[in-house]
Amino acid sequence: QVDLAESGGGSVQAGGSLRLTCEASARYDSVRVRNYCLGWFRQAPGKGPEGVAAVDTDGNIGYGDSGKGRFTVSRDNAKNTLYLQMNSLTPEDTARYYCAAGGPHCGLESDQYDYWGQGTQVTVSL
């Protein structure tokens, strides 16, 4: 009942930064995006999905080990938007990044989420 659209990916050099944006929209008037947990996941070629960060409906935030100290997730309920500020990027961060909705309380496991965007590619080079 939620559609998600990611943007902000691109190619950067190691040490650079990117800000990803996820715009969420409800499919029906009765659906409220604020009632969903929103999260960021990434998937590199040949690997399974990895939880990067999530914000639940109470504003509680969790980070996966890969982004702690470098990534900052934020949520603007007035705009139905989720952000991921990524700093000090390394080639290991190269992956397709996905926004997902589930909840209302969820963590960093992909099976906790019901709706997924198409993803945005992040490529980090040396």
Side-chain angles (χ1 to χ4, degrees):
Q1 297 183 346
V2 178
D3 293 317
L4 304 163
E6 305 94 335
S7 62
S11 297
V12 296
Q13 289 189 320
S17 299
L18 283 173
R19 188 192 196 204
L20 304 184
T21 298
C22 171
E23 297 181 2
S25 58
R27 296 177 185 172
Y28 308 103
D29 292 341
S30 60
V31 175
R32 296 292 181 265
V33 173
R34 67 170 63 93
N35 293 334
Y36 288 83
C37 175
L38 299 176
W40 286 103
F41 288 79
R42 69 186 187 183
Q43 188 163 15
K47 296 185 178 181
E50 176 188 3
V52 177
V55 186
D56 72 12
T57 57
D58 292 327
N60 298 308
I61 291 175
Y63 291 98
D65 290 340
S66 61
K68 286 180 180 177
R70 300 185 300 127
F71 296 175
T72 301
V73 66
S74 60
R75 175 174 184 162
D76 186 337
N77 285 331
K79 296 181 179 180
N80 289 339
T81 303
L82 182 72
Y83 304 97
L84 183 68
Q85 176 67 44
M86 304 188 295
N87 299 325
S88 302
L89 287 163
T90 73
E92 288 69 36
D93 295 314
T94 295
R96 191 162 186 86
Y97 285 70
Y98 297 88
C99 178
H105 299 287
C106 46
L108 297 173
E109 298 295 328
S110 59
D111 60 7
Q112 295 174 308
Y113 293 78
D114 301 309
Y115 305 98
W116 294 80
Q118 295 297 308
T120 184
Q121 179 67 34
V122 171
T123 303
V124 185
S125 59
L126 289 173

